[in-house]
Amino acid sequence: MPLEVATNDAVALTDTDLDEMGSMEGAFDIGALSKAKEDWVLATTARIDGKLHGFMFSTLERIGGTPCVLIGMLSVRRHSKRDTVLRGLMGEAYHRALMAFPDEDVVVGSRFVAADGLEAFDKLDEVTPSPGTRAVGEERAWGRRLAKRFAVDSKYEAQSFVAKNGQSGFLDFESTKPEDLDPEIVEMFGAVDADAGDVMVVYGWTMAEDLVKLGAR
């Protein structure tokens, strides 16, 4: 059976839905899931043969007039088909963005604890921060805006894009081929002490013409 992806209002999630998400044995417990239900507008699920294999909490909004997709929490079951599940969840995010912001460039942002998760942003342009480049000016300003929106700005370091104690939500994904991860990106995440609760705020852009393809059904 193919992957089935559906999006509903997060507020409509039941305790049974949250229990199912918690039973995936990902990074988030019921407390974090309950908070995500309150904090984010949309809840997306990805199922194979009726079994939950991934979920995402997100919001579409404008920050300073710029269209944004904010991924507050995403988790994918550690399963052989998890690459397909991640693509399905991101495809749904792009589709929602296309419906909400046609003909506009869109910022996509989330929090990360490891290099694996950045596979979700492989279709985006100007992903920031990136190894080998030093973010300046407006790039750092976007990091601060997103840190504030994710409510991690009180312990956010603009130079490294790292926030202390920011793991109330992030993109939880474990690569099927960790040996193929870009070593420079892995090194960049050396600044993130995941065990201590650190996260890195990362964002990228999808241009309007690319979003038409990424969000197509």
Side-chain angles (χ1 to χ4, degrees):
M1 184 179 292
L3 181 71
E4 297 178 347
V5 180
T7 297
N8 293 290
D9 292 339
V11 71
L13 291 172
T14 65
D15 289 345
T16 300
D17 294 328
L18 296 178
D19 286 341
E20 186 181 26
M21 292 175 177
S23 68
M24 269 185 19
E25 300 181 352
F28 307 111
D29 59 19
I30 292 298
L33 292 166
S34 297
K35 188 175 188 305
K37 173 184 173 179
E38 297 174 358
D39 290 347
W40 304 100
V41 175
L42 302 175
T44 302
T45 56
R47 298 178 183 277
I48 299 175
D49 293 333
K51 183 176 182 178
L52 185 68
H53 276 259
F55 62 83
M56 173 177 64
F57 288 89
S58 63
T59 297
L60 304 173
E61 63 185 59
R62 291 181 184 272
I63 296 179
T66 301
C68 298
V69 177
L70 304 174
I71 301 174
M73 179 184 289
L74 184 153
S75 186
V76 176
R77 186 185 295 275
R78 275 59 167 170
H79 183 272
S80 61
K81 295 184 179 179
R82 56 186 180 269
D83 290 341
T84 298
V85 174
L86 182 63
R87 286 195 298 271
L89 291 171
M90 292 305 300
E92 178 70 2
Y94 295 136
H95 176 71
R96 293 282 167 174
L98 178 62
M99 296 299 99
F101 309 119
D103 304 318
E104 295 187 79
D105 300 339
V106 177
V107 171
V108 182
S110 190
R111 287 166 285 174
F112 297 81
V113 298
D116 306 48
L118 278 184
E119 292 185 27
F121 281 11
D122 64 348
K123 304 299 184 185
L124 298 178
D125 299 320
E126 299 177 30
V127 174
T128 305
S130 291
T133 61
R134 182 176 179 179
V136 296
E138 185 64 10
E139 295 168 329
R140 287 208 304 268
W142 265 110
R144 288 191 293 268
R145 291 177 194 126
L146 292 173
K148 183 176 181 179
R149 180 59 183 84
F150 290 130
V152 297
D153 52 315
S154 64
K155 296 184 178 181
Y156 176 73
E157 209 291 309
Q159 297 289 339
S160 65
F161 287 75
V162 173
K164 306 294 183 182
N165 195 27
Q167 290 186 15
S168 56
F170 56 89
L171 202 151
D172 171 38
F173 178 78
E174 189 174 288
S175 177
T176 56
K177 296 180 179 179
E179 67 277 6
D180 290 342
L181 294 173
D182 185 333
E184 292 187 333
I185 293 178
V186 173
E187 182 180 358
M188 182 178 75
F189 271 88
V192 178
D193 186 347
D195 292 337
D198 291 3
V199 294
M200 183 177 288
V201 175
V202 183
Y203 70 92
W205 291 84
T206 175
M207 303 299 106
E209 59 271 23
D210 296 327
L211 189 57
V212 170
K213 301 173 184 177
L214 293 173
R217 283 271 175 88

